[in-house]
Each structure stands twice: as structure tokens, then as C-alpha cells.
Amino acid sequence: QVQLVESGGGLVQAGGSLRVSCAASGCTFSTCNMGWFRQAPGKQRELVAAISSGGSTTNYARSVKGRFTISRDNAKNTVYLQMNSLAPEDTAVYYCAAKRGYYSVNSLEYHYWGQGTQVTVSS
């Protein structure tokens, strides 16, 4: 069973930065495609960023492109999301997710999910 544990969320002022991390266990991490998704109150869960198992392919939501960076360290079984120039509209619960097999940005195709970490950006 794959387990994902997020950390690094918190409260930050607009314009600030945060890095959230997701530690994976129970899988061969280098074979898992990873994604960060977020869900704000009253909104649907949406893709923030995704990275392929080998790290060669990444995708970002248009709203975060140029501000957020997804990366992974397969030796540490960890995926990161560096968030810069944060804005109040980035406030949400951020979820780490994993899927085996082919790469996808569709949340419905991700098999494993973390418990989420709250990111709050104050104006």
C-alpha cells in the first residue's frame, strides 16, 4: 500500500514563498508519476503540477506557471512543490498524489493520495 505524507504547509503573506514536500513509502518511487493538486473551499480539486516518474516531463496549471516548480528526488522518495510569489487565491489544501503506469494530469487517474496540507496566503 502506497502512503503519502505531505509537510511544509502553513501561513504566508502575499508575495512570499513556501515549499511543500511529499514523502512516499510502499512503492517503487521511481516508477510512480506524481502530482500536486489543490482544493479551495467551495471549489473542485484541481491540478497544480505533475511530474513523470523519471522527472523528464512536467505540467503546470496556467494559474501557477512561472511561480511554482515541481521536482522530485527519487533517492529520497520525495516530491516537492516550490511556491513563489504566492497570492491569496493560492489558499487551499494541497494534496500529493501518485499513480503507476502512464503519465497523466487527470486527478481521476491517480490511485494514491496524501492527507493534504493547508496553505493559507494572507493579503
Side-chain angles (χ1 to χ4, degrees):
Q1 181 72 9
V2 176
Q3 291 187 325
L4 304 172
V5 179
E6 301 100 334
S7 61
L11 174 65
V12 64
Q13 287 189 332
S17 298
L18 272 179
R19 188 178 78 159
V20 290
S21 304
C22 172
S25 61
C27 73
T28 304
F29 187 69
S30 60
T31 67
C32 285
N33 303 287
M34 303 297 296
W36 284 99
F37 298 82
R38 67 186 181 187
Q39 188 166 21
K43 294 189 176 181
Q44 289 190 333
R45 189 172 296 187
E46 63 175 358
L47 170 77
V48 177
I51 187 167
S52 60
S53 56
S56 61
T57 302
T58 57
N59 287 87
Y60 295 90
R62 189 174 298 181
S63 60
V64 308
K65 214 166 190 177
R67 300 188 297 125
F68 291 11
T69 302
I70 189 171
S71 62
R72 64 189 297 158
D73 185 338
N74 285 353
K76 294 183 178 180
N77 287 5
T78 301
V79 62
Y80 306 97
L81 184 69
Q82 177 67 44
M83 302 182 287
N84 299 329
S85 301
L86 283 160
E89 51 265 36
D90 295 316
T91 296
V93 178
Y94 283 70
Y95 296 92
C96 172
K99 77 174 296 292
R100 296 190 175 105
Y102 60 88
Y103 176 67
S104 172
V105 298
N106 184 346
S107 63
L108 297 177
E109 296 182 358
Y110 279 73
H111 310 115
Y112 307 102
W113 292 82
Q115 81 287 352
T117 186
Q118 177 70 47
V119 172
T120 302
V121 184
S122 62
S123 57

